Amino acid sequence: MGEYVAVGDAGSVPDGQIKVFPVGSHMIAVARVEGRLYAFDDTCTHAACSLADGELEGATVVCACHMGQFDLDTGEVLDGPPPDPIDVYAVQEADGKLLVELGP
Amino acid sequence: MPATFVIAGANLAGGTAAATLRSEGFDGRLVLIGEEPVAPYERPPLSKEFLRGEAPFEKALIRPADFWEAKEVECRLGTRVTRIDSGAREAILGDGDVVRYDKLLIATGLRNRRLGVPGAHLDGVRSLRTVADAEAIRAEMAGATKAVIVGMGFIGAEVAASLRLSGLEVEVIEPLPAPCYRALGPQIGSVVAAIHADHGVRMHFGESVDALEGAGRVERVVTGSGTRIDCDFVVVGVGTVPVTDLLDGVGVPLDNGVVVDEFCRAGPRGRDHMPQGDPDLGIYAAGDVANHFHPLVGHHVRVEHWQNAMKQGAAAARSMLGASECYDEVHWFWSDQFDANIQAAGHVSSWDDPVIRGDIEARSFAAFYLQEGRITAAIAINRGRDLRRCLALIKARAVVDPVLLADPDTDVRAAATT
């Protein structure tokens, strides 16, 4: 179990949107899709673009730069040029905060 | 006897086709033949991240190195198919070997056009197609202070940006009025020129090259107007030629590449003046070399971009397995130059009066090209989301409301009126 880190306020990610939260030097993206939250690395593994600038298509994020597609449940590459998956994290809202479970 | 499928071209199109044949259940013999001595890789990084030393070559491999053996794909690398005997269904290789095929995919891609001027053979005159070419340019970059790029299509423009970002002085000579002129047109081409100028690239448009001069090694470029530009090395990017010589004498139409139908099939028969694929011939083509009938465009097109190589390679594989789904992806490509992410989709029939969304001066905009009220193409700079959203409109040939299309506060998709 990793440690839950408060990255922002609960409710700061409206449905259908992606927001970026810096955690140290690490950029964590949080998206809300039909009420469900997803947290993942904001940096595309292909050319380091911000995935928050991209497009949500269900639980898939499409990078705005080169249309790389990642599954937000697993981080897997679904289409496009990215060579590697992205890391995905558990995320929840509690006590008015947005909590992301970052690595051990 | 299980069937044998042969793929000529171990690149993005050919490699993707091989991987797709296996993932779709083909369990016959599969032979992937490629001239370069390396496993299939994609070329976009060669002018960008790889050239600048920011990403290792392994990142460009389209599958992990051990994939091909694990999937029982016989990779014949370092040799090429030189001739096809379509009667005997044999591919004759450069090393003398003969491989019998039941179905054959031509994914031989392109070769670079040579610069036909005196001195083009000098040392230090480079072009870019393969990873070996990119390594040679990297070797030239070490210790050099100034390069001249001949030609400012996408290769020339991306190499110019990468060399400049690596600290070199760069001058570019291009006969057309703007960079990437054929693909981006005059208006957006001039935006790209301004981006390069901001970063210190010196450009000479409407200018030709008369000669390259030097004692054994290139020392300067002499332009058509008589300017002499000293340099440490030259990169030539003056266009490409589809590699079709292996099909000479086979009888399949060769016209700006291998002519194939919307199922990636080559064939000699005519239909409405258009060659129609012959499934019995067993010859298919995909990627840069394939001049393919595209239902959305309404005629044959040949495109030299990453997405088409991958998607059409996969489509050809499914077609080889007997599927009857036609290949009608909206063509799409990107180019990264300095801080500009350029993307384009569809086919522009006229450069006149595009609908502009966003701010051209701020270099964050999309240009939408309409034909009789329907959207047929879009080009975006640093506006990928809008471009992505209009792909479905292009595919649907949607009639669009130009006012909504231009309004940055309206979702592009909401501009469709049909």
Side-chain angles (χ1 to χ4, degrees):
Chain A
M1 279 289 285
E3 184 193 348
Y4 273 93
V5 175
V7 299
D9 292 335
S12 58
V13 183
D15 205 56
Q17 290 195 23
I18 315 171
K19 298 271 172 170
V20 191
F21 301 94
V23 178
S25 61
H26 196 163
M27 303 302 272
I28 302 290
V30 178
R32 193 187 303 265
V33 180
E34 289 171 12
R36 199 182 143 187
L37 287 168
Y38 297 86
F40 50 98
D41 277 338
D42 181 56
T43 307
C44 181
T45 58
H46 172 231
C49 293
S50 167
L51 292 173
D53 291 336
E55 181 83 330
L56 288 170
E57 293 182 357
T60 297
V61 65
V62 185
C63 181
C65 290
H66 311 103
M67 298 198 199
Q69 298 187 22
F70 299 94
D71 182 321
L72 293 185
D73 282 308
T74 63
E76 250 182 289
V77 180
L78 298 177
D79 199 0
D84 300 307
I86 49 170
D87 285 335
V88 296
Y89 308 96
V91 55
Q92 55 180 284
E93 285 169 306
D95 304 328
K97 293 288 176 195
L98 194 56
L99 301 171
V100 175
E101 187 189 23
L102 295 175
Chain B
M1 271 285 281
T4 298
F5 285 8
V6 169
I7 300 174
N11 43 34
L12 179 59
T16 303
T20 305
L21 284 169
R22 286 299 188 226
S23 67
E24 298 276 324
F26 177 67
D27 61 0
R29 185 182 178 208
L30 183 48
V31 188
L32 182 61
I33 302 160
E35 198 166 11
E36 293 176 68
V38 287
Y41 64 93
E42 54 183 30
R43 303 192 194 281
L46 298 185
S47 55
K48 300 184 279 285
E49 298 88 346
F50 182 76
L51 195 63
R52 297 193 296 265
E54 296 166 3
F57 174 68
E58 288 64 37
K59 279 258 189 191
L61 293 173
I62 70 167
R63 292 290 187 283
D66 57 0
F67 174 89
W68 307 102
E69 196 181 338
K71 296 290 180 185
E72 295 182 35
V73 178
E74 289 176 45
C75 289
R76 299 288 303 268
L77 303 175
T79 186
R80 62 185 292 261
V81 178
T82 54
R83 197 165 64 80
I84 301 297
D85 182 336
S86 60
R89 293 199 175 223
E90 288 174 347
I92 294 93
L93 274 54
D95 60 12
D97 227 6
V98 174
V99 184
R100 212 200 149 276
Y101 66 81
D102 294 286
K103 291 186 179 175
L104 169 69
L105 176 63
I106 307 295
T108 41
L110 312 168
R111 65 175 173 78
N112 288 340
R113 206 180 282 278
R114 291 193 181 84
L115 186 64
V117 302
H121 64 279
L122 289 170
D123 287 347
V125 179
R126 300 291 178 184
S127 65
L128 178 56
R129 174 135 307 273
T130 65
V131 62
D133 294 336
E135 283 167 344
I137 295 172
R138 280 172 65 167
E140 298 284 0
M141 290 162 69
T145 56
K146 178 157 181 186
V148 170
I149 314 288
V150 179
M152 205 172 183
F154 285 108
I155 299 283
E158 290 182 358
V159 170
S162 286
L163 296 188
R164 193 76 197 102
L165 288 167
S166 303
L168 276 77
E169 274 181 66
V170 179
E171 286 199 44
V172 190
I173 298 163
E174 164 60 50
L176 293 172
C180 311
Y181 188 86
R182 285 191 183 84
L184 300 182
Q187 184 179 16
I188 296 180
S190 67
V191 176
V192 174
I195 290 166
H196 280 259
D198 283 356
H199 287 85
V201 176
R202 292 196 59 193
M203 291 160 285
H204 306 263
F205 295 110
E207 180 67 288
S208 58
V209 170
D210 264 8
L212 309 180
E213 292 180 350
R217 185 181 168 81
V218 70
E219 294 166 21
R220 77 195 65 84
V221 176
V222 184
T223 72
S225 64
T227 307
R228 305 166 94 78
I229 305 170
D230 289 340
C231 61
D232 298 305
F233 68 99
V234 170
V235 181
V236 176
V238 293
T240 55
V241 182
V243 176
T244 60
D245 57 338
L246 69 168
L247 289 170
D248 286 347
V250 169
V252 302
L254 304 176
D255 176 11
N256 182 28
V258 183
V259 182
V260 295
D261 66 8
E262 61 271 47
F263 304 101
C264 310
R265 302 177 305 201
R269 291 189 305 233
R271 175 197 63 182
D272 302 335
H273 311 293
M274 288 185 286
Q276 182 180 359
D278 176 2
D280 297 331
L281 186 67
I283 298 179
Y284 301 74
D288 294 358
V289 78
N291 187 7
H292 55 285
F293 180 79
H294 198 286
L296 202 55
V297 187
H299 54 78
H300 280 77
V301 286
R302 194 175 64 74
V303 294
E304 304 173 355
H305 295 298
W306 181 93
Q307 171 242 18
N308 182 65
M310 186 176 71
K311 300 289 184 185
Q312 198 177 27
R318 289 192 291 269
S319 194
M320 291 167 85
L321 293 171
S324 56
E325 62 185 278
C326 79
Y327 176 71
D328 62 356
E329 289 268 339
V330 174
H331 289 137
W332 162 77
F333 68 85
W334 83 82
S335 175
D336 295 323
Q337 301 171 27
F338 298 109
D339 41 10
N341 169 252
I342 305 164
Q343 297 186 47
H347 288 265
V348 178
S349 50
S350 164
W351 295 116
D352 297 338
D353 303 322
V355 175
I356 304 288
R357 161 186 292 238
D359 186 344
I360 291 180
E361 290 297 309
R363 290 161 193 166
S364 169
F365 66 94
F368 302 99
Y369 298 86
L370 276 51
Q371 192 177 13
E372 288 159 11
R374 296 175 188 277
I375 182 165
T376 66
I379 302 174
I381 292 187
N382 296 331
R383 203 91 181 181
R385 196 182 304 188
D386 288 335
L387 190 111
R388 168 85 189 170
R389 287 179 175 176
C390 86
L391 288 180
L393 305 190
I394 295 173
K395 187 145 192 170
R397 297 183 180 106
V399 173
V400 286
D401 179 332
V403 175
L404 292 177
L405 205 53
D407 175 10
D409 297 325
T410 302
D411 188 319
V412 165
R413 294 167 291 196
T417 60
T418 55

